[in-house]
Each structure stands twice: as structure tokens, then as C-alpha cells.
Amino acid sequence: MIKTYIKKLSVLTVILITFGSCDLERLDSAQEAAEGGGTLDTFTAYTIDSTDPMGSNVFGRIVFWKTDLEQTLVQISMYNTIEDTFHPAVIIDGAVGVGTSVLTTLDDVDGTTGELTENKFFLITDTSFYDSLETLDAHVSIALSTVDDTVVAEGNIGTNATPVDSN
């Protein structure tokens, strides 16, 4: 009976020492990019201006990022959007006021954050999109909500506008 208690006490002691020592070990975070990873540094940015239909003054910026895989990531940042509302965003063929055909439907802009709802970036898998951006005849359009297609902000891109920033 005493041997049983000694065995149980020994096992318990080993377990406590093992788990106790793990709590004290502090690990540093890994700061380097994973192999095959990297950073995004090639981009082109355009302004999205308010159409101000009801004095909302919704405005922002759309940024196109080129990835190492020749894909394009689209990032939108909007200001003065309506909280708890989703604002549909699309890229339309032609300049503002001229084009009507939707080229690409982007994710909605979350009115609470002013950014895309699904992810920080919308992925365009067409490997030639970013390289053809300068010659693209299009504009971006932001609607009031998913049930009201009143345009609250829009901005020319490609041949119709000069980028506000690029690298």
C-alpha cells in the first residue's frame, strides 16, 4: 500500500515538474516571412470621390497591389460610410458618368469599418490585370446599400485618372 502511494506521488511530482517548467519558458515571435512569402510593394492608388446625393460626403481610395504570383489585390478604404450598412463596390467599364457595364464585382464595403467586408483585399486572379491597369478604361462605383443602388462615391481608374500614389 505504501509502495502504491509512493508510485502515485512520484508520478504526480514528475507531471507537476514537467508542466511547471513549460509555463516558465517564453518563446519569441517569428518575425520573418515564411518561405515563399514576401511583402507587397508594387501598387497603384486612385481617389474615390463623393457623389454627395444626400450630403453624405462618402469618399476614399482604391489601391491595386501586384503580388509575386502576378495576381492583383484590391483594397478599398472609405470614410463617412453608414455604420451597420454594406456598400456594394464594382468596377465599371468606361469613365465616371459614361460606363454602365460591370467589369468586376468587388466585395461590399463595411460601413462600420470603411473596408471590404470579406477580407482586407479582394483577389483578381487574372495575371494580366495589374499590368494592364494603366490602359484600363474604367471607374469604381460605391452604392448606398445592398437594397439601394444610389451611387454615393465613384472614381476613375486607369486611362481615366492619374494615380494619387504608386510604386
Side-chain angles (χ1 to χ4, degrees):
M1 180 120 159
I2 292 179
K3 287 184 180 181
T4 305
Y5 287 123
I6 292 174
K7 284 183 181 178
K8 289 181 180 179
L9 187 58
S10 297
V11 170
L12 183 61
T13 303
V14 170
I15 291 173
L16 288 174
I17 290 172
T18 302
F19 286 118
S21 66
C22 290
D23 288 340
L24 300 176
E25 185 179 347
R26 301 201 37 88
L27 300 174
D28 293 329
S29 62
Q31 299 294 320
E32 66 279 352
E35 190 171 319
T39 58
L40 299 173
D41 55 9
T42 303
F43 68 92
T44 303
Y46 296 96
T47 299
I48 303 172
D49 295 316
S50 174
T51 59
D52 213 29
M54 296 178 285
S56 61
N57 197 29
V58 175
F59 67 97
R61 184 173 281 188
I62 185 167
V63 182
F64 297 92
W65 297 87
K66 184 176 182 178
T67 71
D68 294 339
L69 299 174
E70 300 298 320
Q71 297 172 325
T72 304
L73 297 177
V74 181
Q75 180 181 20
I76 295 179
S77 299
M78 300 298 296
Y79 299 95
N80 298 329
T81 51
I82 302 169
E83 194 168 325
D84 298 325
T85 302
F86 295 112
H87 303 279
V90 293
I91 296 176
I92 298 177
D93 186 35
V96 169
V98 177
T100 57
S101 300
V102 174
L103 293 176
T104 304
T105 300
L106 305 171
D107 292 336
D108 294 342
V109 174
D110 184 340
T112 303
T113 64
E115 296 180 345
L116 296 175
T117 56
E118 295 297 318
N119 297 295
K120 183 175 182 173
F121 299 103
F122 177 83
L123 176 65
I124 297 175
T125 57
D126 178 0
T127 57
S128 65
F129 186 89
Y130 187 87
D131 292 330
S132 65
L133 189 58
E134 285 183 15
T135 60
L136 183 65
D137 178 17
H139 71 278
V140 63
S141 179
I142 311 294
L144 180 61
S145 71
T146 55
V147 294
D148 185 344
D149 62 356
T150 302
V151 176
V152 294
E154 56 191 355
N156 285 315
I157 60 175
T159 60
N160 301 316
T162 302
V164 292
D165 199 2
S166 65
N167 183 11

